[in-house]
Every structure is written in structure tokens, then in C-alpha cells.
Amino acid sequence: TRAIRTRHALDPATAKDLGKLDGNAVRMVREEAWPGAGDDDELYDALVQCGMLAEEEGLANGWGSLVGNLQRQGRAVLIEREGKPKLWCALERLPQVLAVVGASEYVPLVAMTDAVVTAHDLERPLIDLLRGRMEVEGPATVADLGDRFGLEASAIEGAMLHLEADGMIFRGYFDPDVDDRQWCERRLLARIHRYTLQKLRREVEPVSPAAFMRFLFGWHGI
């Protein structure tokens, strides 16, 4: 799983630059990986996949009315913490999120049955939440994730190291627009590498003989 090919166009003397990829490829994969939601059920699936979603992220995607429907149905809650970002959470992920963020107020008040409590891993809740999140995130820094969800950077770093040991994510300097070390899910990273290689190949594609002859005539002033 660690055999992702490095581009030969990069300078091997600069270790930091070896992982940098094309910025457009990074943005393209982020857009492709991010879940879409056109109705209540699709948003619920997205919340289960992501583990937790910052309210700001959800509103930016235009999901305000959909999450309101899920709240009325008792399938999702809004977690409120003083001085920290508000979080959207699916009902079956709620025990995990509360185990990570601590005692918090949430609306609506829903009853958590044994089936809900045991739906997901409670021994390593943050690791399990980040596992789902990184599958739709793309390259991200620990600081960015910590600020977005109001969590300690050290806790996120420890969870990332566990996921790295499992072979799920890699760390490196992937996005050319970001100077800090990032983490990325391996399949998304492989896709970014593939898009970057495709872009490089398009830049050196051979021209047709006719185009080459036109260049020669122009070059020699014929």
C-alpha cells in the first residue's frame, strides 16, 4: 500500500517536494470524493460516512433544510459547545461523537437504544470517526481538522498515526498551496497521483507530422 509511484519530474534532492502534486488534481479529487445529498436519506448516509460534519460545512453545501428534516425525524442532532464549532451528527454516530467531544448539549434530545450505542466502535471512537472522514476529505492538516471540529490537535495526530499504521492514510506535503504536513487516504492519494501523471503526459504529447512541418516552416522562415 506504500508503493504509490513518485513523479520523475520532481527534484529528488528536495524530499519535501517529492510528495507535492498538481493543485488542480487535488481540488478535483476533493470534489469527487465529497458526498452529495439531494434528499434526507442521502444526507443521513453522508453524515454516517463522515462521522461528524461541522455546521459551517453543511450550510455551505446547502443542506440546512435537509438536516432540519432529519432533526424533526430524530435521525440527526445538532451538537452545541461553548466557544467551539457546532457539529451535525447522525443518530447512530452520536455515542461516538459524544465520547470524543465530551458531555455536550444537543438538539433534539433523542433516545439512544442499545442498537444505536453498539452500532459503531466505542473503544477507539476518534479513530473510527476519522477513518470515515478521511475517505471523503482529501489531503488535510491536523490543525485544519482540529479547528474545524474543535478538537485537540494532539488527539487527532494520535488517531492519524493509528490509521497510518493500518495502511489507510499517508502523510506528506501533497498540496502545493499548503506548506504544513498533510494526511490523505491512500486511494484518494493514488487518484491524485494518477490525475497528476495524466496532466504531465498531456503536456508532452507528440504533435501530428503536419503540425511539426508547420512549425519547421515558421521556424526557418519558409
Side-chain angles (χ1 to χ4, degrees):
T1 61
R2 299 186 182 277
I4 292 181
R5 182 167 53 178
T6 300
R7 292 184 297 152
H8 298 296
L10 295 172
D11 180 9
T14 308
K16 181 178 179 180
D17 288 339
L18 283 174
K20 283 193 175 180
L21 303 166
D22 180 65
N24 290 329
V26 172
R27 288 185 286 274
M28 189 184 304
V29 169
R30 281 196 177 116
E31 293 175 0
E32 293 175 354
W34 189 251
D39 56 36
D40 300 349
D41 292 333
E42 289 180 353
L43 179 57
Y44 186 80
D45 291 340
L47 291 176
V48 173
Q49 171 68 36
C50 293
M52 52 187 171
L53 192 73
E55 183 182 43
E56 184 178 353
E57 293 177 307
L59 294 178
N61 283 274
W63 295 340
S65 60
L66 294 180
V67 78
N69 295 339
L70 292 179
Q71 285 181 283
R72 286 188 288 273
Q73 298 165 16
R75 301 169 65 192
V77 301
L78 173 66
I79 299 176
E80 299 179 345
R81 299 169 294 165
E82 186 176 354
K84 294 184 178 180
K86 297 179 181 179
L87 302 176
W88 292 355
C89 175
L91 175 60
E92 65 185 82
R93 288 284 199 173
L94 182 57
Q96 281 188 314
V97 176
L98 292 179
V100 169
V101 303
S104 303
E105 296 182 0
Y106 57 89
V107 290
L109 292 174
V110 292
M112 289 188 285
T113 63
D114 291 340
V116 170
V117 173
T118 58
H120 295 278
D121 181 13
L122 286 176
E123 293 184 4
R124 304 188 302 174
L126 182 56
I127 296 174
D128 197 46
L129 289 169
L130 288 176
R131 187 186 303 276
R133 179 72 196 200
M134 294 307 294
E135 290 179 351
V136 300
E137 179 72 25
T141 65
V142 167
D144 178 48
L145 293 172
D147 292 342
R148 201 182 315 164
F149 301 121
L151 301 175
E152 293 291 335
S154 58
I156 294 179
E157 182 89 17
M160 291 295 194
L161 291 173
H162 277 283
L163 294 176
E164 182 186 45
D166 290 342
M168 179 190 174
I169 63 175
F170 296 95
R171 53 177 149 171
Y173 297 86
F174 307 122
D175 192 333
D177 298 326
V178 178
D179 293 329
D180 296 334
R181 185 180 64 186
Q182 296 176 301
W183 302 79
C184 186
E185 197 268 341
R186 63 183 179 88
R187 283 172 293 187
L188 297 182
L189 184 57
R191 194 188 308 174
I192 295 171
H193 272 274
R194 186 165 61 252
Y195 288 171
T196 301
L197 287 170
Q198 289 173 358
K199 176 179 179 293
L200 288 174
R201 288 173 181 143
R202 286 194 298 269
E203 292 175 352
V204 294
E205 285 179 350
V207 298
S208 66
F212 183 54
M213 291 305 298
R214 286 195 298 271
F215 163 74
L216 290 178
F217 289 151
W219 183 258
H220 293 292
I222 301 174

